[in-house]
Amino acid sequence: MSERAHLLPAVQSRLDRARQEPGLCALLVVRLRGMREAQLRYGYEFGNEIMLAARERIVAVMRHVDTVYLAGDDSFVVLLPTLRNRTHALLAATRLVGAFDESPLMHGDRNWHGRAVVGVALCPDHGTDAELLFRRAELAHDEALRIGEPFAMYKPESTPVEILYGELRDDIAANKLDVMFQPLYDLRRGKVVSVESLARWTTAAFGAVPPSDFVPFAERSDLIVPLTRWSLNASLRHAAALHRGGAPLDVAINLSPRVFAEQGFAEQLLGALEIWGVPADSVIVEITETALLTDLDMSVRVLRRLRDCGVRVAIDDFGTGYASFAYLRHFPATELKIDRSFVDGMLADPRTEQVVRAMIEVAHRLGLEAVAEGVENAETLRRLDEMNCDIAQGYHIGHPTLAETFVAERLAAAVTS
Ligand code: C2E
Ligand code: CA
Ligand code: CA
């Protein structure tokens, strides 16, 4: 049973008693941002101690009639009875957020600077059932995250985006997203040498949500961290199956620039490689050109660390950003992926073809492999071959396929050949 399920009966009985008393009740969901990551980095013992310290801090700024429950690895539920009006609920939320802003939480000689985000739901205004109030306070919490505020009160007319946030979070946690593999073809060796991992998300309410929608959405909230963790593990799990089955392929994984700011990201990735037993030099991380520019120093540092361990690095969507050639000299990349807008326009426009030719040459001069994306027909492939392009990807080579299916077919072919 989840901690929440254990908690609900206690919250319900406290709520029922509070309703006998005059005034309003508020249920607050409090999440400490970055707590989960701190726990994974420094250990559960550290996490537990910090959560205890956090609990004390919350108790210190609440009234003696308020109850604080531990609700998960990084969260608390606070029940506030006998409030005069809704403003008092928001004042309590403000006090609570302020308590974490003042000074870091300590455990031994290590400190942790947490930031609390609070969602508020009111009883009876937003419900009298503990579970419903809990969910509504969570929705308010998500809304607070979305708009970048430290706290928010539940609003009955919730927009699809709020619902989407909760659904995406739950579906990532429940491993309900899918991985697609799309093959990449080596022009000189004349065979498929790798796959790019592409995420897919299908929801009950909105159907298939394309990654071009939900990835930026995840990036704007804190969901990019669990999404990346999910994508790494799911991609490597399928890659490991190919290695074990004697039909190994390299695997390319898309990374959002935001993960570079996450402490310990390189270690997380290297740890995942070890867990799945996938060799570092068979993994390529893809970073878009524009992404690189948002925090060049940080990205370079993390990518260097990965390069030192053998992980390869591809510059994705090359040609669409406003990057100068200067950064390419210092950037620890191993391949350059020419954006599909150029590859797509190649046949119709001779100048675009010359641009592609120049990009391939730049890649080679810098000692990088040239990869062409969006190859949709044989003629494009032929021209790319003439230009000495190293690798091609696109519908002409193969569409993205559910990784399970892709792996099964590949393993079956390996057995018969
Ligand atoms: P991308 O990295 O440039 O991925 C290639 C996109 O082009 C994929 O779209 C793929 O389905 C599509 N594509 C491949 N070949 C062809 C072709 O021949 N013609 C055309 N018209 N399209 C082709 P998809 O899967 O919708 O992904 C869109 C973007 O979402 C990706 O662009 C990538 O930036 C991002 N993305 C996907 N999965 C993940 C993920 O797990 N994590 C992160 N951070 N980003 C992801
Ligand atoms: Ca990509
Ligand atoms: Ca791309």
Side-chain angles (χ1 to χ4, degrees):
M1 203 162 35
S2 71
E3 282 183 74
R4 189 188 310 129
H6 281 293
L7 190 66
L8 286 176
V11 175
Q12 187 69 60
S13 89
R14 181 71 194 90
L15 202 60
D16 292 342
R17 257 187 300 136
R19 291 192 62 210
Q20 314 291 317
E21 298 154 22
L24 278 172
C25 266
L27 189 148
L28 274 49
V29 165
V30 184
R31 261 179 217 285
L32 300 183
R33 291 206 64 182
M35 187 67 232
R36 246 190 71 84
E37 286 64 41
Q39 223 160 39
L40 295 178
R41 188 169 157 81
Y42 301 119
Y44 294 114
E45 152 77 10
F46 173 79
N48 291 342
E49 294 298 324
I50 290 293
M51 284 301 278
L52 284 178
R55 187 177 188 286
E56 265 177 44
R57 203 164 275 193
I58 297 175
V59 168
V61 295
M62 295 288 118
R63 305 165 302 171
H64 74 277
V65 289
D66 302 333
T67 320
V68 182
Y69 305 89
L70 187 67
D73 282 350
D74 63 349
S75 54
F76 298 94
V77 163
V78 185
L79 200 84
L80 314 169
T82 59
L83 295 171
R84 252 185 291 161
N85 52 47
R86 46 174 68 213
T87 308
H88 281 83
L90 290 178
L91 285 174
T94 315
R95 245 189 355 260
L96 203 155
V97 167
F100 287 93
D101 283 345
E102 281 158 20
S103 56
L105 297 167
M106 298 296 294
H107 171 49
D109 56 359
R110 189 169 271 159
N111 64 41
W112 184 75
H113 211 129
R115 201 162 69 72
V117 176
V118 183
V120 184
L122 299 174
C123 172
D125 304 35
H126 304 142
T128 55
D129 175 62
E131 204 241 21
L132 182 65
L133 283 173
F134 198 122
R135 275 196 284 127
R136 297 196 153 164
E138 287 260 27
L139 276 175
H141 166 274
D142 294 354
E143 172 71 0
L145 268 189
R146 196 179 64 80
I147 59 180
E149 291 292 328
F151 57 82
M153 172 129 24
Y154 172 74
K155 274 195 228 74
E157 68 288 359
S158 47
T159 64
V161 161
E162 291 168 59
I163 299 163
L164 214 56
Y165 180 93
E167 271 200 56
L168 183 56
R169 186 188 58 205
D170 292 350
D171 283 358
I172 293 170
N175 193 19
K176 281 190 183 157
L177 272 62
D178 288 311
V179 177
M180 307 284 268
F181 273 178
Q182 184 178 30
L184 279 83
Y185 180 80
D186 187 312
L187 284 153
R188 261 162 304 142
R189 289 193 272 168
K191 61 174 188 178
V192 170
V193 285
S194 59
V195 289
E196 176 172 1
S197 165
L198 297 161
R200 288 290 177 276
W201 182 38
T202 313
T203 70
F206 307 100
V209 183
S212 47
D213 280 349
F214 75 78
V215 171
F217 178 70
E219 279 172 351
R220 283 197 304 274
S221 63
D222 59 348
L223 286 181
I224 194 64
V225 174
L227 179 69
T228 306
R229 193 181 301 129
W230 167 83
S231 150
L232 281 177
N233 281 299
S235 309
L236 292 175
R237 181 163 59 85
H238 293 297
L242 288 171
H243 280 269
R244 273 198 316 273
L249 286 179
D250 299 341
V251 61
I253 301 172
N254 290 289
L255 290 184
S256 152
R258 270 205 43 192
V259 303
F260 294 121
E262 208 59 39
Q263 275 201 339
F265 172 73
E267 269 54 44
Q268 187 190 317
L269 195 154
L270 296 168
L273 290 177
E274 215 169 289
I275 288 169
W276 293 108
V278 173
D281 62 1
S282 70
V283 172
I284 304 131
V285 296
E286 297 196 356
I287 300 104
T288 63
E289 188 189 31
T290 358
L292 291 176
L293 301 175
T294 38
D295 192 346
L296 192 58
D297 289 348
M298 176 95 79
S299 325
V300 167
R301 221 171 319 126
V302 178
L303 292 172
R304 278 253 156 75
R305 168 100 183 83
L306 294 176
R307 278 296 300 129
D308 288 344
C309 297
V311 175
R312 285 140 64 191
V313 175
I315 300 176
D316 204 351
D317 302 346
F318 183 69
T320 56
Y322 298 96
S324 73
F325 282 110
Y327 89 101
L328 275 178
R329 281 188 302 163
H330 304 293
F331 201 75
T334 52
E335 34 236 275
L336 207 118
K337 293 190 84 171
I338 301 164
D339 189 68
R340 76 161 174 266
S341 54
F342 299 99
V343 178
D344 197 35
M346 233 171 72
L347 297 185
D349 175 26
R351 289 180 70 103
T352 306
E353 180 163 354
Q354 290 312 314
V355 171
V356 173
R357 191 185 293 278
M359 284 172 164
I360 294 170
E361 217 172 290
V362 166
H364 289 161
R365 297 244 165 144
L366 292 167
L368 312 178
E369 288 208 297
V371 185
E373 297 186 314
V375 178
E376 295 191 355
N377 52 61
E379 179 57 14
T380 306
L381 188 66
R382 198 186 61 74
R383 300 250 186 121
L384 286 165
D385 197 13
E386 264 174 24
M387 297 177 196
N388 284 326
C389 181
D390 303 286
I391 297 192
Q393 175 182 12
Y395 295 162
H396 179 64
I397 313 291
H399 283 260
T401 311
L402 209 55
E404 278 87 357
T405 314
F406 185 95
V407 168
E409 283 173 5
R410 185 111 190 138
L411 293 182
V415 170
T416 52
S417 69

